[in-house]
Amino acid sequence: MKLSRYTDYALRVLIYLASRDQGLASIRQIAQAYAISHNHLMKIVQDLGHAGFVETVRGRGGGLRLARPASAIVIGDVVRHTEDLGDLVDCSTCRIAVACGLPPVLAEASLAFLAVLDRYRLSDVVARPEVFRGLFQDLPDAVGLA
């Protein structure tokens, strides 16, 4: 199964925020850290905020932070939120659909994929936040640039 770019970027946002000691981050900082589109990230951050993964603080000195501890964010929940996890294949027009046993196999595989993701929390993915902070150290640390 291949995750969409949207999910990839959503996970990157959460990883960036989880790796911070404290304080707020800006969308611009995150976009710069990963060399990705600021405008695209704005949509993703808004969605993550509505879903309760990210908290946004408006106004001067505002920015982003995780809405709950990294240990409370399940990777499977993020993927379920950002991906359309319908059927892996569309069998509606296939002439062998009535006899084919592939759809239940693929459904089982999808469930297994999500079961693995459900075993991990954001805190597991960012187990050594100091390493991430080192990777991002050359970036400006000012907030409110979004």
Side-chain angles (χ1 to χ4, degrees):
M1 174 177 266
K2 183 176 181 177
L3 297 177
S4 67
R5 182 173 289 152
Y6 190 92
T7 298
D8 176 20
Y9 288 177
L11 290 168
R12 289 184 199 207
V13 167
L14 296 174
I15 288 168
Y16 186 91
L17 296 175
S19 72
R20 295 183 59 83
D21 264 336
Q22 55 186 321
L24 302 172
S26 71
I27 294 172
R28 181 164 296 159
Q29 285 174 306
I30 299 168
Q32 183 179 5
Y34 294 116
I36 55 181
S37 165
H38 178 272
N39 290 336
H40 195 59
L41 271 189
M42 286 178 57
K43 297 173 198 171
I44 293 169
V45 166
Q46 183 179 22
D47 183 38
L48 291 172
H50 288 300
F53 295 112
V54 169
E55 178 182 20
T56 58
V57 178
R58 300 184 73 97
R60 187 175 182 92
L64 315 166
R65 62 180 162 225
L66 293 177
R68 52 186 187 246
S71 61
I73 298 176
V74 177
I75 300 298
D77 291 342
V78 177
V79 171
R80 279 184 190 85
H81 175 74
T82 57
E83 289 290 328
D84 175 14
L85 296 173
D87 296 331
L88 290 179
V89 293
D90 178 11
C91 300
S92 63
T93 60
C94 181
R95 66 176 35 186
I96 66 168
V98 296
C100 185
L102 186 58
V105 171
L106 294 175
E108 182 181 345
S110 286
L111 291 174
F113 175 74
L114 290 169
V116 170
L117 295 179
D118 286 340
R119 293 194 327 239
Y120 295 93
R121 312 244 183 252
L122 183 58
S123 57
D124 298 321
V125 176
V126 189
R128 296 177 44 210
E130 68 282 356
V131 174
F132 286 93
R133 286 193 297 272
L135 294 170
F136 297 133
Q137 74 183 354
D138 293 333
L139 302 174
D141 200 30
V143 294
L145 300 175

